[in-house]
Amino acid sequence: MADLTDLVLGKYLDTYKGLIAAEEIENNSVTVSFPFHYSGHHRIELTITAVGEHFIISDMARTVGELRDFGVRVETKTRRRLEEISKISGLKIVQDHLLLESSAEELGKNVQRLLEVAKTIGDVYLVHRAKAPMERDLVREVREILNKRRLIYKEKEKVNGHLEMHSVNFLIPANGKTGLAIAVLPGHNSHLVAEAWGFKCDDIRAVPVNSGLKIGLVYDTATETWAAESRRILEEKADIVVPGDSLPAFEERL
C-alpha cells in the first residue's frame, strides 16, 4: 500500500510541476502561474519577492482586478469582507494587493495559503451566472406556493448583511412576526454556490435587525447532483433547505 501511495503522489506531483509556469521578473522576484483558476477561468498567478532573508508573496492585485472585470463593485463593505476572509489566513490587503510575508522555511506553506485565499475569494464572488431555465421554473413554482398561501412578499429584494447587501428572490417582511428571505440556488458549480451561501447566511445573521428573519434556500437538482458536503453547508447555515424536486416539503415548512 505504501508503494502505491508513493506511486500516486509521485505521478501527481510530477504532473503538477509540469502545469506550473514561472518567470523571473527581476533579480529578486518571480511570478508563478498555478493550475488553479478563478471562476472566470483565468489562472491564479502569484509574485514572490525576496527582501533580505524574508519573502513577500503577492497576487499583484489580480484577485480584486478579476472581481472588477466581472462587474463586482469593490466598495467599503465588500472590501471589509475581503479583509476578513484574508485575515483568517494571516493575510492583509494593501491597495488591492493580497500580501503575506514569509520566512524561507515557511515559504511553500505560505504560497499555498495565499493561493487558497485567492481561490476562495474568486469562488465566493464569481460563482454567479445567468439563470438557467430550471432556475426560472423554480422561481415560478416558489412564487405560486407563496401566492397559494396568500403570503405578502416582495421579489428581487436585497437583505442587509454586516459586510454587504445580499440579493434574494423573495422577501416576506417580518412585520412583528418572523420574516423569511428565500433564494433559489443554481445547480451549476453547486459546491461553490453552497460555500458562497454559507458566507451569506453568516453575514445576514450578523446584523441584529435580522434576528427575526429566517433564511430559506431552494436548490436546483436538475443540473447536477449536490454532494453531501454541499448540502450539509446549506442545512447548517439556513433555516429551510429544500431540493427543487421536493417543493411540497418547502410549502409544509412555511
Side-chain angles (χ1 to χ4, degrees), residues 5 8 68 72 78 87 91 98 102 139 152 154 163 171 173 180 190 198 206 219 227 243 248 250 252 254:
T5 300
V8 171
R68 288 200 172 99
V72 177
T78 302
K87 187 177 180 180
L91 280 68
L98 293 177
S102 176
V139 171
I152 298 174
K154 298 178 181 179
L163 298 174
L171 178 63
L180 178 62
S190 56
Y219 59 93
F250 178 74
E252 292 173 2
L254 289 177

Side-chain angles (χ1 to χ4, degrees), residues 160-222:
N160 278 315
H162 176 63
L163 298 174
E164 63 182 23
M165 303 284 286
H166 302 281
S167 297
V168 295
N169 296 94
F170 303 95
L171 178 63
I172 301 173
N175 293 332
K177 299 180 180 180
T178 300
L180 178 62
I182 305 169
V184 175
L185 310 186
H188 180 69
N189 286 335
S190 56
H191 191 67
L192 301 184
V193 172
E195 290 182 330
W197 270 95
F199 279 110
K200 289 174 180 289
C201 289
D202 286 342
D203 194 43
I204 290 171
R205 296 191 196 286
V207 178
V209 73
N210 292 334
S211 60
L213 182 68
K214 289 187 176 182
I215 301 172
L217 303 177
V218 177
Y219 59 93
D220 169 21
T221 53

Side-chain angles (χ1 to χ4, degrees), residues 87-101:
K87 187 177 180 180
I88 292 172
S89 296
L91 280 68
K92 57 184 177 181
I93 298 181
V94 179
Q95 295 181 345
D96 292 346
H97 292 65
L98 293 177
L99 295 175
L100 182 60
E101 185 175 350

Side-chain angles (χ1 to χ4, degrees), residues 19-105:
L19 295 173
I20 295 175
E23 178 183 1
E24 290 193 17
I25 303 174
E26 299 172 350
N27 292 334
N28 62 338
S29 293
V30 60
T31 293
V32 183
S33 175
F34 294 90
F36 291 92
H37 299 75
Y38 298 107
S39 295
H41 305 299
H42 297 143
R43 285 170 65 106
I44 297 177
E45 296 183 352
L46 302 180
T47 297
I48 299 93
T49 302
V51 181
E53 296 182 355
H54 288 77
F55 297 85
I56 302 296
I57 310 166
S58 171
D59 74 333
M60 301 300 288
R62 295 183 184 94
T63 304
V64 174
E66 192 84 5
L67 302 188
R68 288 200 172 99
D69 288 345
F70 274 77
V72 177
R73 299 176 64 182
V74 185
E75 298 179 342
T76 303
K77 286 188 175 182
T78 302
R79 187 174 299 279
R80 283 170 53 196
R81 187 179 184 192
L82 296 179
E83 289 172 349
E84 289 196 1
I85 293 173
S86 301
K87 187 177 180 180
I88 292 172
S89 296
L91 280 68
K92 57 184 177 181
I93 298 181
V94 179
Q95 295 181 345
D96 292 346
H97 292 65
L98 293 177
L99 295 175
L100 182 60
E101 185 175 350
S102 176
S103 64
E105 292 76 11

Side-chain angles (χ1 to χ4, degrees), residues 1-21:
M1 184 61 69
D3 290 342
L4 177 59
T5 300
D6 291 342
L7 174 64
V8 171
L9 292 179
K11 292 296 185 182
Y12 171 75
L13 292 175
D14 287 344
T15 300
Y16 185 79
K17 288 179 182 178
L19 295 173
I20 295 175

